[in-house]
């Protein structure tokens, strides 16, 4: 997989993950171009399209589009299920995930994606293994973080 | 992190883009001051601010600070700080950051920490950044982490994929070694997550060095076999919607596609069993109604079919695959229809399944008509193209043409190319081809690229039998008031060449043709107008009666003073040419275009370019090999050599001498095998005449092509063609040495009666018309092994008996070489054969009864007296061979007319062999004594 994008129906990019080195300017251009293409497609259309020398696999979940760019010889259907499994992971972690969860906890979304996909290849397909890794990390986080008062949080203490 | 959540809410509450930018700038200023402040920030604050920067960056704003703080976080001992530090670096750091050594240091510590969570973070970071500096620092270390016995499974998975990423970005830095064998054994690992990650790594590595990973085949087959035969619950969490380990199955099948079918019979049959099981399972009733179940199952099915196609060795599997895909063609899931069409495209290229694919033609055509999604229709077009062959080409081309009328603009050009290719490739008669292309231009003129209309012209010029039809059809097509400019180009070119073929019909008389073209002249672009001007000058040659009309047009201010320099120049030159050149000069200059050399269709090249390398050629090559169709044998060489005629050179015969490799009209020397560079291209099987200069007179009387001279340095070959009193000789000079010939020049000396001139550029022609013989404007240097081509145009003014001589001069290794060789131009070359009945023959024979008109000779046979050979020689001599004229069937009788500029000389001949005596008697009667004598001399030496 070359990259994965999450964007909303309004064309707001919520998450981007690039698995090959790409210049920032090119990234922006590609994102813009792809969002335009994908958002223009109708619901019953097929989830695959050819774009430049890549294949695009996308799926819409509620207000969010998940969009993967894969290479010529990659398997489209299994990529569709990569997306689905990622959604399942998010769902399980956040408990019925919605776009807001991903906005406010974007760093968590990145961590989950990293546990699931690495270098553009699937690292572990087991939901349990991935979530176990994330939960372990969260446990560490809670140990770290003693609760703070609101004033401290505002930097007023 | 409350502060972060508040900031995100603020941003979301911004009503306008400006408000958002304002809020962000305020925050950036705040963070900057915090980072620069005197008070040292604690880890938590740093983490919060770095997170805010990350968020701002992800909104699409540039971030140019905070990296240092992120590196600090990454070196922290607290997991959450480290995690955010790594995230920031992964997302924001470009490969050539000056911070890379600091980052590397942090990574190094984490890799050495033996804390699996930290190690994983470090490995993720390497994989995410994937820069060369990182590869240099860690590429040698990661393999040992991967294969070490005590590494945790999760770290193994990360290490495998990290290595995969580094191998993609800097393969030279990933050392192969003893670890490779141990990586292969990870395919046997207990942990399916490890196997999945390892399979990805091995596939990537095996694509680059298959030999090193050959042992993975048997392990992969074994693993696959265990998965496909397992009950769905066996694999617990690796079962996905009742499908056992679909990701791993797909990856294993991908790995196997790096290799040919296994040689070991047992292994091979085990793999076949696996594939059969997968095909069977796909046919079973679904275990779940969820789309995930069907997707996962079919993902494995499609990958299995990809492997079956890759192996291309099991006909039953291929046909089964095709049938199962056929069911998908009408599936209610758009995705499956799309993939089935795509997959069938590759199946169509296998000889085993091509016919099976063809049975679905109606479904595919229906898809083209009814699919609502353009990307699915595109696949249907691809599949129709792939399944096309002679048996269904008419249907497929017709369907594509009708689809083109409503096709999406985005894919029109590609469809046009495909239709053009299919129409040419499978044309049984060329009238269908011409109709198809003109239809293409009518339906989608804007999308018809130059390659397409160049190609139709090439084909019409090369196929005599379609020229009249083409002229008629374009003439009719041009009648439409709003015809496309591309049609005008084709029409202008074809009428300029072959308008005479339809000029007999008063409805398409010369003037009508001209008026039709000229009525559109003012509406079109400069290149088209330039082309039309060339068509007009061609008309002047074809139809003298419209000359004044056309001259008036050329003379008008809008032409002679046109602001466009090319148009102006053409108008001036053509006008001058039409005023000062005699009809026969005009006829020579404006002669019909010679045939184009056979070459790869430029359209195909264009399609390949459009589709990207690897897509079209593979398919087509396979297809054509299967059918044994070689008419368009694929040539992977770049096709710029064989580019179609440019507009500048469009209409005038490109008969100026130039290096052979630049000569598109005759042959492209670049395609010759270097071992025998010169003979092959002349299509001569005869051995070169030794000491040719003496024998040219005899050897070339009855043939037009061959080698006329050869020594250690130079070979001179000829191809010649004659029509009436005009002739054209292509002379090929081949440098047999490996060094240059310098100051290369040639000239022709001939009697006044034979006017030999070399046609240079049109412009030179205009000024130098009075010269009989030109010094040759060829490139004075001939590279070693190279070939030079020259064209001689010859006009016979009256009968003659001298043979012209070709003088060649050049410098080789310091010495001046002088070569004089007779050019085989004899009177009989200007023969036009005449057929006549026995009655006519004897009537004319009697008319030529004056003693001076007859020449007779009796001579001894020099060669075996073979009737067929004699027939061939008499025909080669240029006369028509008349059978049933002479009462004695053993005798040969011929008739023809010698054309010279001033007169025509009719000629009758009779050859009587006497096999017992091995003698011949040859009798010639012509209206002119000198002609009779010369022809008798020439012919009597042939037998």
């Amino acid at each position: 997989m070359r990259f994965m994008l999450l964007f909303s129906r309004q064309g707001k990019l919520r998450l981007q993950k690039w698995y090959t080195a790409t210049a920032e300017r090119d990234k922006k251009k590609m994102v813009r171009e792809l969002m335009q293409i994908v958002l223009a497609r109708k619901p019953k259309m097929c989830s695959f399209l050819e774009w430049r020398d890549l294949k695009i696999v996308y799926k819409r979940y509620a207000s969010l589009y998940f969009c993967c760019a894969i290479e010529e010889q990659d398997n489209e259907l299994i990529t569709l299920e990569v997306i689905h499994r990622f959604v399942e992971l998010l769902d399980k972690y956040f408990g019925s995930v919605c776009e807001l969860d991903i906005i406010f906890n974007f760093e968590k979304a990145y961590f989950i994606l990293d546990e699931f996909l690495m270098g553009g290849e699937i690292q572990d397909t087991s939901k349990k293994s991935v979530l176990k890794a994330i939960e372990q990390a969260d446990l560490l986080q809670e140990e770290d973080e003693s609760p703070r008062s609101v004033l401290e949080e505002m930097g007023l203490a | 992190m409350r502060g972060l959540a508040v900031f995100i809410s603020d941003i979301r509450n911004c009503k306008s883009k400006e408000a958002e930018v304002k809020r962000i700038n305020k925050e950036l200023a705040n963070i900057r001051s915090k980072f620069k402040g005197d008070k040292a920030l604690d880890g938590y604050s740093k983490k919060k601010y770095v997170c805010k920067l990350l968020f701002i960056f992800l909104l699409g704003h540039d971030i140019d600070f905070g990296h240092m703080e992120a590196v600090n976080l990454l070196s922290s001992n607290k997991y959450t700080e480290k995690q955010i530090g790594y995230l920031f670096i992964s997302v924001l750091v470009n490969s050539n950051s000056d911070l890379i050594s600091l980052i590397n240091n942090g990574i190094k510590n984490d890799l050495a920490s033996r804390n699996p969570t930290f190690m994983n973070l470090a490995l993720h970071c390497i994989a995410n950044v994937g820069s060369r500096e990182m590869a240099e620092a860690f590429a040698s270390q990661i393999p040992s982490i991967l294969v070490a016995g005590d590494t945790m499974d999760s770290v193994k998975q990360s290490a495998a994929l990290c290595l995969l990423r580094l191998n993609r970005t800097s393969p030279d830095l990933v050392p192969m070694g003893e670890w490779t064998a141990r990586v292969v054994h990870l395919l046997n690992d207990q942990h399916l997550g490890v196997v999945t990650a390892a399979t990805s790594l091995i596939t990537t590595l095996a694509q680059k060095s298959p030999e090193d990973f050959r042992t993975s085949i048997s392990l992969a087959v074994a693993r696959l076999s265990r998965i496909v035969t397992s009950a769905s619950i066996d694999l617990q969490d690796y079962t996905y919607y009742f499908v056992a380990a679909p990701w791993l199955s797909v990856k294993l099948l991908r790995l196997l596609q790096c290799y040919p079918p296994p040689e070991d019979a047992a292994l091979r049959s085990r793999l076949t069993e696996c594939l059969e099981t997968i095909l069977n399972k796909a046919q079973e009733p679904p275990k779940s109604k969820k789309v995930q179940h069907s997707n996962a199952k079919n993902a494995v099915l499609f990958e299995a079919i990809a492997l079956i196609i890759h192996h291309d060795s099991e006909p039953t599997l291929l046909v089964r695959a095709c049938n199962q895909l056929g069911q998908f063609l009408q599936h209610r899931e758009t995705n499956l229809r799309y993939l089935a069409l795509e997959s069938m495209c590759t199946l169509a290229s296998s000889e085993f399944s091509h016919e099976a694919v063809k049975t679905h033609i109606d479904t595919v055509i229906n898809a083209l008509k009814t699919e609502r999604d353009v990307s699915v229709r595109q696949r249907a077009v691809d599949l129709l193209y792939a399944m096309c062959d002679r048996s269904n080409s008419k249907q497929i081309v017709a369907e594509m043409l009708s689809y083109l009328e409503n096709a999406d603009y985005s894919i029109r050009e590609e469809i046009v190319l495909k239709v053009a290719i299919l129409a040419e490739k499978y044309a049984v008669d060329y009238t269908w081809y011409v109709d198809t292309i003109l239809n293409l231009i009518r339906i989608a003129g804007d999308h018809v690229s130059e390659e397409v209309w160049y190609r139709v012209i090439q084909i019409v010029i090369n196929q005599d039998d379609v020229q009249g039809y083409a002229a008629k059809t374009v003439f009719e097509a041009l009648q439409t008031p709003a015809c496309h400019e591309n049609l005008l180009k084709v029409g202008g070119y074809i009428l300029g060449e072959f308008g005479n073929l339809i000029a007999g019909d008063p409805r398409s008389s010369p003037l009508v043709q001209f008026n039709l073209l000229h009525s559109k002249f003012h509406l079109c672009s400069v290149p088209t107008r330039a082309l039309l001007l060339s068509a007009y000058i061609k008309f002047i040659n074809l139809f003298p009666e419209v000359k004044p009309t056309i001259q008036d047009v050329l003379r008008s201010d809008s032409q002679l003073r046109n602001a466009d320099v090319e148009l102006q120049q053409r108008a001036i030159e053509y006008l001058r040419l039409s005023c000062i050149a005699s009809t026969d000069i005009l006829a020579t200059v404006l002669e019909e275009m010679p045939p184009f050399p056979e070459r790869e269709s430029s359209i195909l090249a264009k399609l390949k370019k459009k589709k990207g390398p690897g897509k079209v050629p593979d398919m087509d090559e396979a297809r054509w090999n299967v059918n044994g169709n070689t008419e368009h044998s694929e040539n992977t060489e770049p096709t710029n050599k064989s580019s179609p005629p440019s507009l500048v050179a469009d209409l005038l015969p490109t008969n100026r001498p130039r290096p052979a490799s630049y000569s598109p009209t005759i042959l492209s020397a670049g395609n010759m095998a270097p071992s025998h560079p010169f003979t092959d291209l002349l299509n001569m099987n005869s051995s070169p005449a030794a000491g040719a200069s003496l024998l040219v007179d005899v050897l070339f009387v009855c043939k037009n092509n061959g080698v006329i001279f050869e020594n250690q340095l130079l070979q001179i070959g000829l191809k010649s063609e004659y029509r009436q009193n005009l002739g054209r000789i292509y002379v090929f000079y081949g440098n047999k040495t490996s060094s240059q010939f310098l100051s290369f020049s040639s000239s022709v000396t001939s009697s006044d009666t034979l006017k030999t001139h070399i046609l240079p550029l049109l412009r030179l022609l205009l000024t130098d018309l009075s010269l009989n013989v030109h010094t040759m404007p060829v490139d004075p240097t001939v590279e070693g092994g190279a070939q030079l081509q020259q064209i001689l145009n010859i006009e016979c003014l009256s009968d003659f008996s001298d043979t012209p001589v070709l003088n060649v001069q050049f410098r080789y290794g310091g010495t001046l070489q002088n070569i004089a060789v007779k050019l085989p131009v004899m009177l009989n070359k200007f023969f036009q054969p005449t057929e006549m009945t026995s009655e006519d023959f004897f009537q004319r024979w009697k008319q030529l009864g004056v003693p001076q008109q007859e020449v007779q000779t009796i001579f001894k046979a020099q060669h075996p007296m073979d009737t067929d050979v004699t027939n061939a020689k008499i025909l080669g001599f240029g006369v028509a061979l008349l059978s049933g004229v002479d009462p004695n069937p053993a005798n040969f009788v011929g008739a023809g007319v010698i054309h010279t500029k001033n007169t025509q000389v009719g000629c009758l001949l009779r050859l009587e062999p006497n096999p017992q005596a091995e003698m011949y008697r040859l009798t010639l009667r012509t209206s002119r004594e000198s002609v009779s004598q010369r022809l008798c001399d020439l012919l009597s030496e042939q037998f």
Side-chain angles (χ1 to χ4, degrees), chain B residues 638-655:
Chain B
T639 48
N640 48 359
K641 238 181 277 167
S642 52
S643 58
S646 73
L647 277 174
V648 186
D650 55 8
L651 271 174
L652 295 165
T654 49
N655 50 1

Side-chain angles (χ1 to χ4, degrees), chain B residues 320-389:
Chain B
R320 257 197 84 180
C322 184
N323 292 338
Q324 285 187 231
L325 290 177
Q327 299 165 8
F328 286 158
L329 288 179
Q330 304 189 59
H331 202 281
R332 61 189 167 79
E333 274 281 320
T334 316
N335 289 344
L336 287 179
R337 296 199 300 274
Y338 176 97
L339 293 174
L341 290 166
E342 184 182 62
S343 203
M344 270 202 177
C345 255
T346 32
L347 275 173
S349 65
S350 163
E351 60 176 310
F352 301 118
S353 47
H354 183 73
E355 289 303 318
V357 171
K358 273 169 61 184
T359 60
H360 298 287
I361 183 166
D362 293 332
T363 318
V364 182
I365 287 172
N366 194 40
L368 195 61
K369 289 176 178 162
T370 56
E371 281 292 348
R372 273 183 291 171
D373 185 347
V374 56
S375 41
V376 185
R377 292 197 296 271
Q378 164 89 62
R379 290 284 84 82
V381 171
D382 288 349
L383 180 54
L384 285 178
Y385 179 74
M387 68 161 72
C388 190
D389 61 21

Side-chain angles (χ1 to χ4, degrees), chain A residues 41 46-47 50 74-76 81 84 88 114 118 121 123-126 128 137 141 144-145 153, chain B residues 2 44 47 80 157-158 168 237-238 240-241 251 254 292 295 299 303 335 342 373 379 615:
Chain A
R41 290 176 65 84
C46 91
S47 311
E50 285 184 335
D74 288 337
N75 191 311
E76 292 100 334
E81 294 319 298
H84 187 73
E88 284 182 350
D114 267 352
M118 184 173 169
E121 299 287 337
Q123 184 170 204
D124 205 321
T125 62
S126 154
K128 275 185 202 150
Q141 178 155 4
D144 277 0
E145 251 165 59
E153 190 65 60
Chain B
R2 242 183 107 81
Y44 175 81
K47 187 177 82 175
T80 54
Q157 286 168 269
S158 303
R168 280 196 186 143
D237 210 28
Y238 290 89
Y240 180 84
Y241 291 88
K251 281 181 189 295
R254 269 297 294 285
Q292 283 76 25
N295 279 354
E303 206 60 52
N335 289 344
E342 184 182 62
D373 185 347
R379 290 284 84 82
K615 269 190 148 175

Side-chain angles (χ1 to χ4, degrees), chain B residues 700-704 828-829 831 869-881 939 942:
Chain B
F700 283 83
V701 168
C702 298
K703 66 174 187 170
N704 286 335
N828 66 297
K829 299 293 183 193
F831 252 131
V869 174
T870 309
N871 274 336
K873 281 185 175 170
I874 291 176
L875 285 172
F877 192 63
V879 294
L881 196 61
L939 193 58
Q942 297 298 315

Side-chain angles (χ1 to χ4, degrees), chain B residues 890-911:
Chain B
N891 291 346
F892 302 92
V893 173
V897 178
I898 297 274
H899 287 256
T900 71
K901 188 189 169 198
N902 305 321
T903 53
Q904 299 187 352
V905 184
C907 166
L908 305 173
L909 70 83
R910 186 182 193 205
L911 179 71

Side-chain angles (χ1 to χ4, degrees), chain A residues 7-22:
Chain A
F7 49 86
S8 69
R9 224 148 54 93
Q10 289 75 34
K12 293 253 186 208
L13 189 59
R14 297 301 179 201
L15 183 145
Q16 48 174 323
K17 189 78 191 178
W18 301 80
Y19 296 110
T20 43
T22 316

